[in-house]
Amino acid sequence: MGLGLLPLGLALGVLITHAGLPWWFASLSTAVVYAGSFEFLLVGLVLAAAPLATVALTALLVNVRHVFYALSFPLDRVRGRLARGYSTFALTDEAYALATGPQARSWSGARLLWLQLFMQVYWAGGAAVGALLGSVVPDSVTGLGFALTALFTVLALDAVKEQRGDLPTPVLALLSALAARLVLPGQMLPLAFALFTAALLVRHLATRRRPSDA
């Protein structure tokens, strides 16, 4: 997974350079923001000089799903306020996918922290290198933003394999995107994320009330 974040960071760095932003913006974003998909959106928001309120609302809608990650992320294994603070900050989709899988049930808090730290290092390092080398990548190269979509697709396929009778997450995502496209096409992405988050919450509450099959 860490090696998978490296090319994604490269894509983000190249995208930042092609957008005309300074190379250090890539390092600053990956160190302070560290929000994956939102960082790709942030490039456009910065270029458009979007109001701070718009940036904050977009960040909330895109990342609000992380609130629900906390329901099942094994944060209780992490000891110390500083360590827990960083673990919460570095709770990405990829870290959640690995830390909540069957293979991670015996992982210690220290191992979870190292996992999250190395993921951010791969992401930040890839972005810095991509920003520095962005000038040698032709502007004709397109589809860099799709790299993140490809990774999410892989994570979604793994989630489907582990799903047991519930409505698959990719189906929820697809239905959310279609509904947002029909209702508010000009603001499709924020609305789709909001609908997707609501759908995940409803599914979570529904599965909690369901009697165990065991």
Side-chain angles (χ1 to χ4, degrees):
M1 183 64 76
L3 292 177
L5 290 174
L6 190 59
L8 287 176
L10 284 168
L12 176 64
V14 173
L15 187 66
I16 287 173
T17 302
H18 284 189
L21 296 172
W23 69 268
W24 51 262
F25 183 85
S27 299
L28 180 66
S29 176
T30 52
V32 178
V33 180
Y34 190 40
S37 55
F38 175 69
E39 290 182 68
F40 280 89
L41 291 176
L42 185 60
V43 174
L45 293 172
V46 171
L47 290 178
L52 186 58
T54 301
V55 175
L57 180 60
T58 304
L60 174 64
L61 293 175
V62 171
N63 294 310
V64 71
R65 67 189 185 281
H66 290 202
V67 174
F68 305 105
Y69 287 171
L71 298 174
S72 52
F73 185 80
L75 191 62
D76 57 304
R77 299 181 205 164
V78 181
R79 304 299 179 188
R81 290 184 179 180
L82 185 61
R84 285 193 174 188
Y86 176 74
S87 184
T88 303
F89 166 73
L91 179 50
T92 61
D93 300 288
E94 296 80 7
Y96 177 83
L98 289 178
T100 58
Q103 76 285 352
R105 289 173 183 165
S106 60
W107 289 2
S108 65
R111 183 169 180 176
L112 291 172
L113 275 178
W114 280 111
L115 168 76
Q116 292 179 282
L117 178 61
F118 274 111
M119 281 187 164
Q120 186 173 10
V121 169
Y122 277 118
W123 175 253
V129 173
L132 291 172
L133 299 179
S135 59
V136 301
V137 178
D139 292 337
S140 57
V141 175
T142 59
L144 294 175
F146 187 75
L148 194 62
T149 305
L151 179 61
F152 283 152
T153 301
V154 173
L155 293 175
L157 290 175
D158 288 340
V160 169
K161 291 177 181 177
E162 296 181 4
Q163 206 68 37
R164 296 292 184 269
D166 300 320
L167 193 60
T169 301
V171 175
L172 292 179
L174 178 60
L175 293 176
S176 300
L178 290 175
R181 180 70 177 85
L182 292 174
V183 175
L184 202 59
Q187 297 292 330
M188 177 182 169
L189 188 59
L191 180 58
F193 272 114
L195 292 174
F196 182 52
T197 300
L200 289 177
L201 178 60
V202 170
R203 191 182 68 178
H204 173 73
L205 294 176
T207 52
R208 283 186 60 186
R209 295 173 181 171
R210 185 182 306 167
S212 174
D213 294 332

